[in-house]
DNA sequence: GTATCTGCAAACCCTTTGCAATAAG
DNA sequence: CTTATTGCAAAGGGTTTGCAGATAC
């Protein structure tokens, strides 16, 4: 049983909401899913431009809420004055550990987070929809660099 | 052994960095620590104004990085187009569970997060500086409200 | 006295939006 | 043919900054 492609999922989402599948949207989605990396609007825009794909930022900004609603991407954190996103369709849910020096990001999952979620649901009576654990620190390389400076 | 007040901590921070203790800064800090609540710049600014304390937003914006650096406050999440802060000095570290409907925020701590931190430090070689677990869902009241609508 | 801080207003930057032309279904 | 989408440029809204006067030390 093959997994549906991002584009298939998106087409179904559009049909259900009576929205339209355009060439611009297709190209943006292909670009987003072309790498595993996190992305932000400006970088995405410039990357496409460098490849000769000239789509306006407005179209990107207008597409993002649809992709989030369709479950294809999510915002991960706000930093340097703008939001950062990642695609989640086809990826196991994970959290991030980030180096504050070089900005490197590692991903991880931990079953204890699900236990915590369950306990929170019981304790506060919440229906839990999502969790995000964001850990910050210094990566091995940057620790070394800083150690040598001192 | 009495705990130092926020203002004392801040004065020491300023002295160490050759910065000045002004009436404006004192009033802003007093206002921030007057309640246990989270805050954002605009609300803080308007609250002070209503009390007849007219300090410019620029001064608030210029103070925040100092308070963060001094370990008195931290930013908690970016929402509705602006950053939200909380004071942390004198409070045990905690995480947040938020209702996406009514925006209610509950706080919690969980020792399993420290275990996760330790394991991450070992696994990735990071020196961990902070973690933020942000859980979103529906609070009991909003669940009920939504159930009744359906 | 000297360097920092303040308020103001302008600048900045990311994001959203109004509009007329274009394209999807 | 009807309605959604696009690109553009302008507007929006939070945050930062240059500057001249005020203030801490």
């Amino acid at each position: 049983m093959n997994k549906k492609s991002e584009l298939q999922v998106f087409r179904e989402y559009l049909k259900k909401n009576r929205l339209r599948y355009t060439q611009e949207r297709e190209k943006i989605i292909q670009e987003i899913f072309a790498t595993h990396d996190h992305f932000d609007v400006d970088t995405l825009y410039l990357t496409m431009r460098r490849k000769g794909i000239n789509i306006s930022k407005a179209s990107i900004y207008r597409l993002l809420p649809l992709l989030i609603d369709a479950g294809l991407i999510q915002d991960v954190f706000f930093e340097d004055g703008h939001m950062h996103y990642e695609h989640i369709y086809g990826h196991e849910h994970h959290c991030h550990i980030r180096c504050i020096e070089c900005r490197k990001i590692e991903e991880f999952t931990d079953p204890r987070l699900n236990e915590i979620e369950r306990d929170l649901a019981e304790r506060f009576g919440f229906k839990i929809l999502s969790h995000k654990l964001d850990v910050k620190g210094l990566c091995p390389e940057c620790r070394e660099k800083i150690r040598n400076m001192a």
Side-chain angles (χ1 to χ4, degrees), chain A residues 12-137:
Chain A
E12 289 171 14
Y13 171 83
L14 291 174
K15 183 154 284 175
K16 194 166 56 185
N17 293 279
R18 300 210 178 69
L19 301 173
R20 290 173 189 177
Y21 189 80
T22 65
Q23 299 190 13
E24 288 82 358
R25 289 176 171 175
E26 177 177 303
K27 283 174 189 152
I28 298 168
I29 294 174
Q30 284 175 334
E31 187 61 39
I32 290 175
F33 281 85
T35 79
H36 178 58
D37 288 347
H38 294 201
F39 67 96
D40 59 77
V41 171
D42 205 57
T43 309
L44 178 63
Y45 172 73
L46 292 173
T47 305
M48 295 179 77
R49 233 156 191 273
R50 238 176 282 119
K51 295 185 183 177
I53 306 169
N54 289 21
I55 290 170
S56 72
K57 275 192 193 177
S59 291
I60 297 177
Y61 277 114
R62 282 191 272 236
L63 177 57
L64 292 179
L66 304 185
L67 294 179
I68 292 173
D69 196 38
L72 291 174
I73 68 169
Q74 75 180 171
D75 50 81
V76 279
F77 47 75
F78 182 87
E79 197 168 79
D80 302 322
H82 58 266
M83 193 54 78
H84 297 245
Y85 303 86
E86 69 179 351
H87 46 102
I88 52 176
Y89 180 68
H91 291 279
E92 192 185 6
H93 169 69
H94 59 260
C95 294
H96 301 97
I97 174 166
R98 298 190 277 146
C99 177
I100 60 168
E101 268 298 304
C102 69
R103 302 293 166 90
K104 174 167 48 204
I105 300 174
E106 303 273 8
E107 301 179 351
F108 68 92
T109 60
D110 197 302
R112 284 169 288 196
L113 286 169
N114 298 319
E115 294 171 19
I116 293 175
E117 254 196 29
R118 274 196 296 278
D119 292 354
L120 286 172
E122 188 170 341
R123 176 169 160 209
F124 291 107
F126 269 57
K127 170 162 184 57
I128 311 267
L129 299 172
S130 72
H131 73 249
K132 252 183 231 177
L133 176 56
D134 186 35
V135 182
K136 289 195 230 178

